[in-house]
Amino acid sequence: MKIRAFFILILFTQIVSGNAPETRFKSDWDHDALNTALSASYLSSFEKELILEINKLRSNPAKYAKDYIAPLESKYKGKYLYYPGNDPLKTQEGVKALYECIRYLSNHNSLSLVYPSREMTKAAQDHVDDQSRTGKTGHIGSDRSGFRERMERYGKWEKRIAENIAYGGYSARQIIIYLLIDDGIKNRGHRKNFLNPAFSKIGVAAGKHPSFGTMAVMDLAAGFKTK
């Protein structure tokens, strides 16, 4: 049996901000409203899919859990998750992490959407370009930059920022689901980043990685002003 590792990393968020207003959406997915990256020509189709998945999650966490996460219960065999279409993943917590994620999302209010930022995408792309070349992982670049420094190359962030990184992954939805389950991450930091009500801006970049095949960087901010 071929086992593929899927690594997800988080470092920190900075400067706490107030909550954004709650937003309500219809029970069915309204893709026209949720696809805030549709006209962002600087994003690839895959990068747009990542933003769409995040907005589906934020617009209705309980529905996201019911439609996309709960059906994976039957895909666990012991500590192994057999995600459809991908190689088995050896988890640390097994199905209990999935159950905890479902409970959390089922009791979470809907949130405002995130909108793509060209400048924040450049910051995310810098990190993808760097690690695609070096083969390293984590939030620190080969020039010792963190995501704060990378964002500040292109503008001024407001109130709060965060970064989620995924290595490997079969599809945009799988990446978001794995980050939400946050297997082995005690504070469930990736999930908290995606569901932080303060965030309204996102930069996303995806590319190749020498060890894991693919990687995706998702930078989030409460606001962002260009230089």
Side-chain angles (χ1 to χ4, degrees):
M1 176 175 61
K2 183 179 180 182
I3 306 299
R4 175 170 294 176
F6 184 95
F7 289 81
I8 47 181
L9 303 166
I10 186 170
L11 187 59
F12 58 88
T13 57
Q14 300 175 332
I15 306 182
V16 176
S17 173
N19 290 352
E22 181 178 315
T23 303
R24 295 291 181 182
F25 289 86
K26 300 176 182 178
S27 58
D28 293 330
W29 299 120
D30 185 350
H31 286 81
D32 290 339
L34 299 173
N35 197 5
T36 60
L38 179 63
S39 62
S41 59
Y42 54 89
L43 294 171
S44 69
S45 59
F46 185 76
E47 291 160 353
K48 292 178 182 180
E49 287 177 19
L50 285 167
I51 295 176
L52 175 60
E53 287 298 315
I54 294 168
N55 278 333
K56 291 173 77 171
L57 166 69
R58 287 175 67 92
S59 71
N60 197 333
K63 179 174 172 59
Y64 199 90
K66 179 181 178 181
D67 287 1
Y68 303 133
I69 299 179
L72 294 176
E73 177 186 2
S74 63
K75 305 301 180 182
Y76 280 84
K77 293 182 180 179
K79 292 294 180 71
Y80 288 95
L81 170 57
Y82 290 76
Y83 193 94
N86 203 4
D87 298 323
L89 169 72
K90 186 176 183 180
T91 68
Q92 295 183 40
E93 301 176 64
V95 74
K96 69 178 185 180
L98 178 129
Y99 290 148
E100 186 270 337
C101 180
I102 293 171
R103 288 195 300 270
Y104 185 90
L105 296 183
S106 296
N107 292 294
H108 204 290
N109 290 331
S110 61
L111 302 169
S112 57
L113 305 182
V114 292
Y115 291 81
S117 162
R118 183 187 295 268
E119 291 73 23
M120 289 173 61
T121 295
K122 291 178 181 177
Q125 188 66 56
D126 283 351
H127 202 44
V128 170
D129 291 344
D130 183 37
Q131 293 193 338
S132 293
R133 183 182 70 256
T134 65
K136 294 183 178 180
T137 60
H139 296 271
I140 303 302
S142 60
D143 61 356
R144 306 306 301 166
S145 66
F147 62 86
R148 174 176 180 167
E149 289 77 19
R150 291 190 290 272
M151 286 192 200
E152 290 176 350
R153 293 170 185 166
Y154 301 101
K156 182 178 180 181
W157 55 271
E158 299 176 347
K159 298 181 181 179
R160 189 178 182 93
I161 55 175
E163 181 173 84
N164 284 352
I165 306 177
Y167 298 90
Y170 174 71
S171 66
R173 182 168 298 159
Q174 183 196 24
I175 286 173
I176 301 305
I177 288 174
Y178 279 13
L179 289 165
L180 285 171
I181 296 173
D182 243 1
D183 177 77
I185 308 297
K186 288 185 177 181
N187 70 352
R188 310 299 193 204
H190 301 94
R191 183 193 305 165
K192 291 177 181 178
N193 283 343
F194 284 148
L195 292 170
N196 191 314
F199 292 141
S200 65
K201 293 292 185 179
I202 189 168
V204 176
K208 295 182 178 180
H209 190 276
S211 299
F212 302 102
T214 61
M215 66 176 293
V217 176
M218 292 152 276
D219 289 335
L220 295 148
F224 197 86
K225 295 181 178 179
T226 60
K227 287 185 176 180

